[in-house]
Amino acid sequence: MRISCDLFCRVVDNLGDAAVCWRLARQLALEFGWRMRLWIDDPSPIDALAPDHASLPVDIRHWPDDFPDAEPARVVIEAFACELPPRYIERMAALPRAPVWINLEYLSAERWVPGCHGLPSPHPTLPLTKHFFFPGFAAGTGGLIRERDADFGPQGIGAALSISMFCYENPALPALLSAWAGGDEPVICRIADGLPRIQVASWLGEPFEPGAITRRGALQLAALPFVPQPDYDRLLGACDLNFVRGEDSFVRAQWARQPFVWQAYPQADGAHWPKIEAFLDLYGRALPGDRRAATADFHRAWNGQGDIAAAWPAFRAALPALADHTMPWAEEIASHGNLAENLVRFCAGRL
Ligand code: TRH
């Protein structure tokens, strides 16, 4: 019998919530034959991320304020602690056999993650238990999303340093663009649609609409339209260096086997800094000391602590070492199994 699964997603901001949930729903349906319903309060990002979604076996449902009286599935995934509709929880509790209830957490490389992955949290009043499921880079975590059909395309070879740029509002961006423009090396930077493109337009002091190409000194800038997820994956594979952010593009950059720079989702209380440091520590372990330091310095500056232009030359010099590191690193993080297969195994023992 096919396993039914309801995956609940609230779009807090940006694209990551929808992006992660869509990928997981798609993979569980296509690779494991699960009967997937994706309940999402704002389905519109899925149209942009996956314009082909109607042809895929995921039932995308709008999650309205007044939730319908739906029969709960055998597996219920609550993404990023989005809180299930009370009416749905009551129906889960009324079933003769409680569904497997998973809280899919945010990704972090912090040391405490393996200790918390899989922990149960019994409901205070109802006969239901929720389990925490943590994505992660280390053994004992839920691993990372990676589909069997993930395709990062051929790696590009060109005379200029080819870069893709996907970031939040980033005060370090203008200084980095100026450093590239004033440098000796030709750089081609492909700017993602949205916040990155808006900031580049302001640095240029002129309109910079999708499709525009312009030059400042050694720097050529190309404004990209928003592309579907598979095209974004191939962009990551084709560039020599990718600036990524949040959660999903951060993971894809690691599978794409090209050097990358990560801007963490900025949190008001600085809660993102332990995540940045934990990742740098884990990722940098196999790098030679000076390359590790250059990578850490550049990441810190990109996330708001340090001088990005001053950090660039050493980071640029570290790129060949980082390129050599991409393959063993991807193999290491893949060795813990991918998130969907780990989730299927976790649920199988509890169904
Ligand atoms: O959009 P994000 O900033 O999402 C964030 C993070 O998930 C963060 O952890 C969370 O707290 C916050 O949302 C609410 O970045 P992320 O996670 O990289 O998701 C972006 C997705 O958009 C990713 O799947 C790649 C995709 N994408 C495209 O498909 N086409 C594009 O052209 C671009 C630029 C991105």
Side-chain angles (χ1 to χ4, degrees), residues 223-264:
L224 300 179
F226 191 87
V227 296
Q229 271 179 336
D231 294 354
Y232 182 70
D233 281 352
R234 284 187 285 274
L235 173 74
L236 294 174
C239 289
D240 304 315
L241 172 63
N242 296 299
F243 286 73
V244 288
R245 74 184 200 190
E247 184 158 327
D248 193 58
S249 58
F250 174 44
V251 172
R252 303 315 278 184
Q254 294 171 60
W255 297 135
R257 297 183 182 172
Q258 296 285 13
F260 61 89
V261 180
W262 175 44
Q263 185 180 9

Side-chain angles (χ1 to χ4, degrees), residues 4 37 107 152 204 219 222 228 239 262 274 289 320 323 348:
S4 60
R37 274 193 306 205
L107 171 63
F152 297 91
L204 287 167
L219 172 63
C239 289
W262 175 44

